[in-house]
Amino acid sequence: TIIELETEFERIIQSDQRIEPRDWMPDGYRKTLIRQIAQHAHSEIIGMQPEGNWLTRAPSLRRKAILMAKVQDEAGHGLYLYSATETLGVDRAELTDNLIEGRQKYSSIFNYPTLSFADVGVIGWLVDGAAICNQVPLCRSSYGPYGRAMIRVCKEESFHQRQGFELLMTMMSGTQAQRDMVQESVNRWWWPALMMFGPPDDRSPNSAQSMAWRIKRHTNDELRQRFVDMSVPQAEILGVTFPDPDLRWNAERGAHDFGEPDWDEFMQVVKGNGATSVERIANRRAAHENGAWVREAAAAFAARTAAADTT
Ligand code: ACO
């Protein structure tokens, strides 16, 4: 009966075991996972664009090879996340349509332009750093295929974060103009990086239920705090500052106090009014349309192979 199924689902969640694709799950759980994992997949795919912008202008062959590998990793992350979403009964083609028709979201962070090569380093350090902070706990997410995908994603993100930090260390030991370029980039990315964790807990409609289902393991504000505490000592090593006059150590709390991100800006970006929102989706749509012949050829080949097998 439905009561038995619900009891068994609750037992699995409460005992920290995994829900797998063939297990019964409440509709809300399935919908929440599809929403979150699809948004996550879209973010990885759209996230290729801001850095891809610098591939042809990387200052050395070494930097170009690293950047190329990183952008390809993001494509891979998107693909395993789409596969994880497919285990919940949706089709990747449908998810792609949802993205290019603006029916599904992707991370706010990818709606900002990459104006200097220092942005490549700062995205690695802060944006991928924030992604790791958010995603390491997701390795323990209650849905098996999502948690398992996160393990590999996090390993690769760690490499991305370190390449960013190493790039910035190199620039910081260069000329004054290079150091200024890094600081200018940090000033632009700091607040958007904090917004990646989502709205404050009292304005986060999905958190309570996602925590109860153990899809999410920490609230948005908990992870944002963890990220600030982690980033401050790294900024000191690098020799840059964050553009927040309220940022200071609070010995009583054993954590940093910090200012409030501009939540109106966040809401605008999430609604599709970010600086590069239109361009990102237009590029994704063009890539999808230009790739139609590959999908058609693959489908025709598969059909011919299947027909040959049955004759
Ligand atoms: N950018 C865009 N939309 C956001 C963001 C953000 N940074 N943060 C929250 N939102 C959206 C939510 O998707 C939700 O909208 P929806 O109900 O239409 O889906 C709404 O704002 C309210 O937020 P919450 O109730 O807090 O939503 P949720 O519980 O899903 O928490 C979070 C948001 C923390 C982003 C969560 O979905 C998550 O951990 N996702 C997986 C990580 C991820 O997607 N990372 C992608 C960027 S990192 C990278 O790829 C490098």
Side-chain angles (χ1 to χ4, degrees), residues 200-213:
D201 292 350
D202 56 9
R203 280 179 268 165
S204 162
N206 301 299
S207 279
Q209 182 61 73
S210 290
M211 299 271 290
W213 277 329

Side-chain angles (χ1 to χ4, degrees), residues 42-55 68 70-76 78 110 280:
H42 297 329
S43 304
E44 303 281 357
I45 297 295
I46 295 286
M48 295 166 75
Q49 292 184 38
E51 290 176 282
N53 178 37
W54 283 93
L55 275 176
M68 188 110 74
K70 176 182 190 288
V71 172
Q72 285 179 342
D73 285 351
E74 307 296 357
F110 301 120
R280 299 284 186 248

Side-chain angles (χ1 to χ4, degrees), residues 13-252:
I13 298 285
Q14 294 311 323
S15 60
D16 258 340
Q17 288 172 295
R18 268 65 216 244
I19 300 294
E20 295 297 338
R22 288 192 183 84
D23 293 337
W24 181 88
M25 60 186 86
D27 271 353
Y29 179 83
R30 187 184 299 275
K31 281 199 189 109
T32 298
L33 282 168
I34 292 173
R35 177 183 65 78
Q36 177 167 328
I37 308 174
Q39 284 178 10
H40 194 164
H42 297 329
S43 304
E44 303 281 357
I45 297 295
I46 295 286
M48 295 166 75
Q49 292 184 38
E51 290 176 282
N53 178 37
W54 283 93
L55 275 176
T56 55
R57 291 172 291 159
S60 69
L61 183 59
R62 176 170 176 267
R63 292 291 169 198
K64 189 179 177 121
I66 295 172
L67 187 55
M68 188 110 74
K70 176 182 190 288
V71 172
Q72 285 179 342
D73 285 351
E74 307 296 357
H77 298 174
L79 296 184
Y80 0 111
L81 287 166
Y82 283 129
S83 300
T85 324
E86 286 189 311
T87 66
L88 293 158
V90 283
D91 190 70
R92 187 170 128 204
E94 183 187 326
L95 297 176
T96 300
D97 282 345
N98 288 341
L99 172 64
I100 61 185
E101 298 300 337
R103 288 190 295 266
Q104 270 176 340
K105 299 187 169 86
Y106 59 91
S107 182
S108 51
I109 194 73
F110 301 120
N111 292 304
Y112 294 86
T114 40
L115 304 178
S116 75
F117 192 71
D119 288 5
V120 170
V122 172
I123 289 177
W125 175 40
L126 294 180
V127 174
D128 295 322
I132 293 169
C133 200
N134 164 272
Q135 289 169 27
V136 165
L138 292 175
C139 296
R140 293 186 296 118
S141 182
S142 60
Y143 187 57
Y146 190 35
R148 287 190 290 273
M150 279 301 109
I151 294 171
R152 176 160 174 187
V153 168
C154 285
K155 285 191 175 150
E156 293 180 349
E157 291 295 354
S158 301
F159 156 68
H160 299 170
Q161 202 260 358
R162 277 147 201 257
Q163 71 80 34
F165 195 79
E166 190 263 352
L167 192 165
L168 296 177
M169 283 296 259
T170 307
M171 287 185 83
M172 290 305 286
S173 59
T175 64
Q176 188 57 41
Q178 285 175 304
R179 284 192 287 277
D180 292 345
M181 196 189 278
V182 173
Q183 183 63 56
E184 189 275 334
S185 173
V186 170
N187 293 347
R188 276 184 290 112
W189 290 97
W190 175 245
W191 291 110
L194 293 190
M195 294 175 195
M196 287 173 69
F197 296 92
D201 292 350
D202 56 9
R203 280 179 268 165
S204 162
N206 301 299
S207 279
Q209 182 61 73
S210 290
M211 299 271 290
W213 277 329
R214 302 196 182 178
I215 294 172
K216 280 169 80 162
R217 293 291 183 153
H218 303 281
T219 70
N220 300 355
D221 285 332
E222 282 167 13
L223 293 173
R224 193 168 7 252
Q225 177 74 57
R226 188 181 284 189
F227 175 68
V228 171
D229 292 336
M230 189 177 100
S231 301
V232 168
Q234 294 175 359
E236 276 164 22
I237 293 170
L238 215 47
V240 295
T241 56
F242 292 129
D244 178 358
D246 298 323
L247 179 63
R248 67 181 62 87
W249 177 249
N250 179 330
E252 250 167 69

